[in-house]
Amino acid sequence: MQAFAEQGYHDTSMDDIVRRSGFSKGAIYFHFPGKEALFYALVRRLADALEAAARSSIEHERGAVARVDAALQTLLGMISRHPRLARVALVSGGGLGPSLDSHLMKLDERFARFIKEYLDKAVGDGSIPAVETNIVAHAWLGAIKEIVVRWLRARNRDPLERVIPALRVLLLRSIGIEVSGSGKAVKEK
């Protein structure tokens, strides 16, 4: 993870990974046929951790607004605390060839389905008006990724948590929930 985060995918060699890991080259190649497989396994593991944390934070919340708040706080908090992990998954991985791009696209689809699942529940329980949840889920995912990637690329960056209020308002408005100046959800449109 450190090698990919510091050097990027292309500039990281299997020798770099072997040296940093403390394992033999044979041991690494026993588990991973090459750098691409190792990189994808790392990104998938990060995605698993993010999804588990988001599900856990949402589990006890009631209503669309509380769930959005819990998921955003969890997701952006984890990324803020572990920017190297986020850099590996979001910055180092793009445009690396058809095979790896296909794997990363599957991860995007996984997170879009996760968002859609909770949007569907919110529509189902009347927390939000009927919306095209698939489109909204992909738009939310795109917005979150863009904010995080811009934050990761900034030299002098503020804490990522500072963007949560504005991002939250944008996301909530997209599902018909108005937010007051104090940040409290006040009504559906």
Side-chain angles (χ1 to χ4, degrees):
M1 183 220 33
Q2 289 177 336
F4 287 127
E6 291 170 7
Q7 298 166 209
Y9 179 83
H10 290 297
D11 291 336
T12 299
S13 69
M14 286 301 280
D15 288 336
D16 294 329
I17 294 165
V18 167
R19 187 176 58 256
R20 288 174 185 249
S21 73
F23 293 103
S24 70
K25 193 178 260 190
I28 290 178
Y29 277 109
F30 178 79
H31 295 285
F32 303 100
K35 181 170 74 168
E36 180 180 310
L38 191 147
F39 181 81
Y40 181 66
L42 174 64
V43 172
R44 192 177 57 240
R45 188 172 185 193
L46 299 174
D48 291 346
L50 279 174
E51 184 175 348
R55 283 192 187 279
S56 177
S57 70
I58 289 172
E59 191 174 295
H60 302 291
E61 299 295 337
R62 296 233 184 263
V65 176
R67 288 181 174 149
V68 166
D69 285 345
L72 274 177
Q73 292 286 349
T74 300
L75 175 68
L76 297 179
M78 283 182 71
I79 289 169
S80 183
R81 287 187 304 278
H82 306 287
R84 283 186 171 172
L85 297 176
R87 182 173 292 282
V88 167
L90 297 173
V91 178
S92 298
L96 297 178
S99 176
L100 197 52
D101 285 347
S102 172
H103 287 305
L104 295 174
M105 183 83 107
K106 287 176 188 172
L107 289 175
D108 280 354
E109 286 302 316
R110 172 184 170 178
F111 279 101
R113 280 192 309 272
F114 169 76
I115 295 167
K116 183 182 183 314
E117 173 187 341
Y118 285 97
L119 289 171
D120 286 339
K121 287 178 183 179
V123 169
D125 72 13
S127 297
I128 63 172
V131 295
E132 291 288 338
T133 56
N134 190 49
I135 293 170
V136 174
H138 282 87
W140 280 23
L141 181 63
I144 292 166
K145 284 178 66 173
E146 179 64 19
I147 295 297
V148 171
V149 168
R150 289 179 58 83
W151 178 78
L152 288 168
R153 290 184 173 154
R155 292 195 188 274
N156 299 319
R157 54 184 179 230
D158 288 333
L160 186 56
E161 291 84 0
R162 280 199 177 162
V163 305
I164 290 174
L167 184 57
R168 176 183 177 267
V169 168
L170 175 79
L171 298 180
L172 290 174
R173 284 185 177 161
S174 76
I175 57 173
I177 297 174
E178 281 299 318
V179 182
S180 72
S182 67
K184 185 174 180 169
V186 291
K187 64 178 178 177
E188 294 179 2
K189 285 184 182 176

